[in-house]
Amino acid sequence: MKLGIVGSNFISDWLIEAAGQVPEAEICAVYSRKQETGDAFADRHSIPNVYTNYDEFLESEIDAVYIATPTYAHCGQAIEAMKHKKHVLCEKILAVNEREAASMFACAEENGVVLLEAMRPDFDPAYNLIREHLPKIGKLRRVTAEYCQYSSRYDKFRQGEVLNAFNPELSNAAIMDIGVYCIHTLVRMLGMPKEIKAFSTKLENGFEGSGIVLMQYDDMMAEAVYSKITDSVNPGIFQGEEGSILIYGIAMPQSMEIVYRDGKREAIPYTPAPNNMVYEVREFVRLAQENCSGHPYRKYSLDTLRVTDEARRQNGIVFHADSVL
Amino acid sequence: MKLGIVGSNFISDWLIEAAGQVPEAEICAVYSRKQETGDAFADRHSIPNVYTNYDEFLESEIDAVYIATPTYAHCGQAIEAMKHKKHVLCEKILAVNEREAASMFACAEENGVVLLEAMRPDFDPAYNLIREHLPKIGKLRRVTAEYCQYSSRYDKFRQGEVLNAFNPELSNAAIMDIGVYCIHTLVRMLGMPKEIKAFSTKLENGFEGSGIVLMQYDDMMAEAVYSKITDSVNPGIFQGEEGSILIYGIAMPQSMEIVYRDGKREAIPYTPAPNNMVYEVREFVRLAQENCSGHPYRKYSLDTLRVTDEARRQNGIVFHADSVL
């Protein structure tokens, strides 16, 4: 698969590192609005072709694109790529809202290509291990997916400089950037909740710095706890009647452990990949080879956005794309 | 202070053990509806007087009563005692709802006696230590007070036998029994939230087995996470921008620790009392000696019930006392 890269920040560096471990994937081109940025990125990764015109990029020999631009740009760039019959691996969060994502998946189906959200935990084998061990903790009663990571950009914010990542005008919010890992993992593992209730903590400029989304199910509940202005200490937890499964690292699981009610602890043997984006690249290549535009991951992306849409509605977090008719 | 005991279950045993460490407190009488139960309890603790008539009990030489009966009985028993000019130390949760508690405090004031909720964490010095160390973790952004304790009575429930503690008809619910520790601690440490959002998980008989109450403040949030059908593993946490304070044991703090953003850990030196009810007995004696019916703890009890009233309303947990006009 000849892959073109859209967006040249650190996450693209990681993706290319991961793709290097997947023999079928070959990085052939990079698109950047600025020639200079594109050239520097191409040099760093020995990429043969640099484009500053998106159409020319899409008309080149590539089979697929990886999109890692700001969220508000995903929908337009992905749709244009798919109209050019390119498969699309798109960084999380897939879109600003559910409506955008639905139109993106419709476009994928129309054009017989694969659109996949690059949601690392979806493809990390750690969660299959958890699923295997879940029966050991009895009836599941609560899942807390917590991901709080103090952003280096928050230091700048506190010094008075608002970088893009902390600018709500650019459709940014902690729920979209980091809460999405928790919410996506919950809806994938547990299905859609019956109801959600959410609170946000906003910074002085209106940017959502942290939040909690409660999710109600028939006989249990879940919560997504996220923050860009504090650091997590506690692991994520699957709490059952007979014990709990702890997971250290929601997006990049590092280790897992069962704690039974009697205090007995049992490690779940697991060797994390140094870069777990390798799993999503492999799955993307497989889906593209099978031309599987109707893959099951679509539902998780859509369900996640249904939750983030409602959480944002409850907390008055409105983006430009929400008002598009 | 000559103290009479109302209610003879395990919590009264603990209270008497604690009172044994407070020289001013002397256990003089026990009230029990059944002579046999009262006699057995009096024998166990060498209490000179047993009453099966509440009026006679209240007309005896006692100065104060400790009430540890089911919650729905607190209001009536406390008011009757206060009308007899007895100070009242009443087990948590003080009352079924805020209205009951308000009438109880009004009665205390009218009769110039002290009514105090026996809320252990209110008087445990651990929380003063946390308050002292809070500046170290920077701007506070989230507090999670978690108290999940699998009830031995839940084993019976699962075997088909519904004991009183799991009977919603008796005004029981996890939020009243165990969530109250979390909520009370949060409103005392943080004040009343601007808004709350709550979910409950109910068992097949309608009993609330667990729940989460989210509490929104201006620039932070808090959550009370409680359960009688699972066990906690994670400690409670005060999460600030520069680090977190972990507390192991919400109702009976066992240890506390600071974890800074750079991973550095710092223990907060603390020696827990073997039975931390000793602090509430001491404070009750002091308040009674000073005839301080207008003490500051009243607000925490009332605020807590305002939160539990609203959480119950959101989750359809209705008790008989709620419908009294």
Side-chain angles (χ1 to χ4, degrees):
Chain A
M1 172 194 280
K2 293 182 193 302
L3 192 61
I5 305 290
V6 184
S8 51
N9 68 12
F10 71 95
I11 193 78
S12 295
D13 292 334
W14 293 0
L15 188 281
I16 289 171
E17 200 280 325
Q21 301 172 52
V22 181
E24 299 89 339
E26 183 192 350
I27 313 294
C28 292
V30 58
Y31 162 75
S32 178
R33 277 177 308 172
K34 289 186 196 155
Q35 186 74 44
E36 214 180 324
T37 318
D39 286 346
F41 188 82
D43 277 358
R44 194 155 75 245
H45 295 291
S46 310
I47 299 171
N49 304 298
V50 177
Y51 296 89
T52 57
N53 179 301
Y54 196 50
D55 268 342
E56 286 175 23
F57 169 75
L58 293 177
E59 281 157 13
S60 72
E61 55 164 0
I62 55 175
D63 310 306
V65 302
Y66 166 69
I67 296 176
T69 50
T71 304
Y72 66 81
H74 289 179
C75 182
Q77 289 175 330
I79 284 180
E80 215 170 324
M82 292 188 286
K83 284 181 176 168
H84 282 81
K85 311 292 180 193
K86 310 298 180 191
H87 303 292
V88 173
L89 178 64
C90 181
E91 256 313 319
K92 58 81 200 169
I93 186 166
L94 181 64
V96 171
N97 53 37
E98 189 195 0
R99 192 185 47 204
E100 276 193 358
S103 72
M104 291 158 78
F105 283 121
C107 179
E109 205 154 353
E110 274 164 38
N111 291 283
V113 292
V114 170
L115 168 65
L116 185 68
E117 184 175 6
M119 174 52 66
R120 280 178 283 167
D122 256 10
F123 312 100
D124 193 300
Y127 287 96
N128 288 334
L129 277 174
I130 287 180
R131 227 185 281 267
E132 276 171 35
H133 286 83
L134 270 182
K136 292 184 177 177
I137 60 167
K139 195 166 178 55
L140 191 62
R141 291 302 194 173
R142 176 166 60 88
V143 183
T144 294
E146 177 175 333
Y147 191 177
C148 302
Q149 189 168 56
Y150 186 98
S151 166
S152 56
R153 295 171 183 123
Y154 187 46
D155 278 331
K156 294 279 187 196
F157 183 93
R158 289 167 72 181
Q159 289 155 19
E161 186 186 349
V162 179
L163 297 175
N164 284 350
F166 277 73
N167 185 350
E169 297 297 316
L170 297 175
S171 308
N172 287 325
I175 193 173
M176 307 300 275
D177 185 32
I178 193 164
V180 61
Y181 286 114
C182 306
I183 295 166
H184 194 107
T185 299
L186 292 171
V187 298
R188 178 170 52 95
M189 299 284 284
L190 309 172
M192 263 304 275
K194 284 162 53 183
E195 192 186 346
I196 72 153
K197 291 181 179 175
F199 275 142
S200 291
T201 296
K202 292 182 185 174
L203 305 182
E204 305 90 83
N205 69 337
F207 177 78
E208 186 212 35
S210 63
I212 298 183
V213 178
L214 282 189
M215 298 162 65
Q216 175 92 75
Y217 293 87
D218 273 331
D219 51 7
M220 59 157 296
M221 66 182 71
E223 51 170 358
V225 179
Y226 56 90
S227 171
K228 288 172 71 73
I229 58 176
T230 54
D231 270 338
S232 280
V233 177
N234 286 338
I237 193 157
F238 292 75
Q239 199 173 74
E241 292 188 351
E242 305 304 334
S244 295
I245 296 179
L246 312 187
I247 176 165
Y248 295 83
I250 290 291
M252 289 165 284
Q254 295 304 299
S255 66
M256 291 157 288
E257 185 183 20
I258 307 175
V259 181
Y260 293 98
R261 265 211 283 129
D262 62 7
K264 213 184 69 188
R265 299 180 94 99
E266 176 188 335
I268 298 179
Y270 180 66
T271 307
N275 176 353
N276 72 344
M277 293 175 82
V278 68
Y279 301 117
E280 72 194 27
V281 176
R282 276 193 203 132
E283 187 66 356
F284 179 59
V285 167
R286 186 186 73 80
L287 292 170
Q289 282 172 341
E290 297 175 7
N291 251 304
C292 184
S293 60
H295 61 76
Y297 304 101
R298 297 180 307 170
K299 176 172 161 50
Y300 314 142
S301 299
L302 290 165
D303 283 354
T304 298
L305 282 160
R306 200 168 307 150
V307 171
T308 57
D309 282 358
E310 172 59 16
R312 289 198 294 115
R313 191 194 63 75
Q314 290 186 19
N315 290 308
I317 302 171
V318 182
F319 297 141
H320 294 309
D322 296 328
S323 55
V324 174
L325 290 177
Chain B
M1 172 194 280
K2 294 182 193 301
L3 193 62
I5 305 290
V6 184
S8 52
N9 67 12
F10 71 95
I11 193 77
S12 295
D13 292 334
W14 293 0
L15 188 282
I16 289 171
E17 200 280 326
Q21 301 172 53
V22 181
E24 299 90 338
E26 183 192 350
I27 313 294
C28 292
V30 58
Y31 163 75
S32 178
R33 277 178 307 172
K34 289 186 195 155
Q35 187 73 45
E36 213 180 326
T37 318
D39 286 345
F41 188 81
D43 277 358
R44 194 155 75 245
H45 295 291
S46 311
I47 300 171
N49 304 298
V50 178
Y51 295 89
T52 57
N53 179 302
Y54 196 50
D55 267 342
E56 286 175 23
F57 169 75
L58 293 177
E59 280 156 13
S60 72
E61 55 165 0
I62 55 176
D63 310 306
V65 301
Y66 166 68
I67 296 177
T69 49
T71 303
Y72 66 81
H74 289 180
C75 183
Q77 289 175 330
I79 284 180
E80 215 170 323
M82 292 187 287
K83 285 181 175 167
H84 282 81
K85 311 292 180 193
K86 310 298 180 191
H87 304 291
V88 173
L89 178 64
C90 181
E91 256 314 319
K92 58 82 199 168
I93 186 166
L94 181 63
V96 171
N97 54 37
E98 189 195 1
R99 192 186 46 204
E100 277 193 358
S103 72
M104 291 158 78
F105 283 122
C107 179
E109 205 155 352
E110 274 164 38
N111 291 283
V113 292
V114 170
L115 168 65
L116 185 68
E117 184 176 7
M119 174 51 66
R120 280 178 283 167
D122 256 10
F123 312 100
D124 193 300
Y127 288 96
N128 288 334
L129 277 174
I130 287 180
R131 228 184 280 267
E132 275 171 35
H133 286 83
L134 270 182
K136 292 184 177 176
I137 60 167
K139 195 167 179 54
L140 190 61
R141 291 302 195 174
R142 175 166 60 88
V143 183
T144 294
E146 177 176 332
Y147 191 176
C148 302
Q149 189 167 55
Y150 186 98
S151 167
S152 56
R153 295 172 184 122
Y154 187 46
D155 279 331
K156 294 279 187 196
F157 183 92
R158 290 166 72 181
Q159 289 155 19
E161 186 186 349
V162 179
L163 297 175
N164 284 350
F166 277 74
N167 185 351
E169 297 297 316
L170 298 175
S171 307
N172 287 325
I175 192 172
M176 307 300 276
D177 185 32
I178 193 163
V180 61
Y181 286 114
C182 306
I183 295 166
H184 194 108
T185 299
L186 292 171
V187 299
R188 178 170 52 96
M189 299 284 284
L190 309 172
M192 263 304 276
K194 284 163 53 184
E195 191 187 346
I196 73 152
K197 291 181 179 175
F199 276 142
S200 292
T201 296
K202 292 182 186 174
L203 305 182
E204 305 90 82
N205 69 337
F207 177 78
E208 186 212 34
S210 64
I212 298 183
V213 178
L214 282 189
M215 299 163 63
Q216 175 92 75
Y217 293 86
D218 273 332
D219 51 7
M220 59 157 297
M221 66 182 71
E223 50 170 358
V225 179
Y226 56 90
S227 171
K228 288 173 71 72
I229 57 176
T230 55
D231 270 338
S232 280
V233 177
N234 286 337
I237 193 158
F238 292 76
Q239 199 173 74
E241 292 187 352
E242 305 304 334
S244 295
I245 296 179
L246 312 188
I247 176 165
Y248 295 83
I250 290 291
M252 289 165 284
Q254 295 304 299
S255 66
M256 290 157 288
E257 185 183 21
I258 307 175
V259 181
Y260 292 98
R261 265 211 283 128
D262 62 7
K264 213 184 69 188
R265 300 179 94 98
E266 176 189 336
I268 298 179
Y270 179 65
T271 307
N275 176 353
N276 72 345
M277 293 175 82
V278 68
Y279 301 117
E280 72 194 27
V281 176
R282 275 193 203 132
E283 187 66 358
F284 179 59
V285 167
R286 187 186 72 80
L287 292 171
Q289 283 172 342
E290 296 175 7
N291 250 305
C292 184
S293 60
H295 61 76
Y297 304 101
R298 297 180 307 169
K299 176 173 161 48
Y300 314 142
S301 299
L302 290 165
D303 283 354
T304 298
L305 281 160
R306 200 168 307 151
V307 171
T308 57
D309 282 358
E310 171 59 15
R312 290 198 294 116
R313 192 194 63 75
Q314 290 186 19
N315 291 307
I317 302 171
V318 181
F319 297 141
H320 294 310
D322 296 328
S323 55
V324 174
L325 289 177

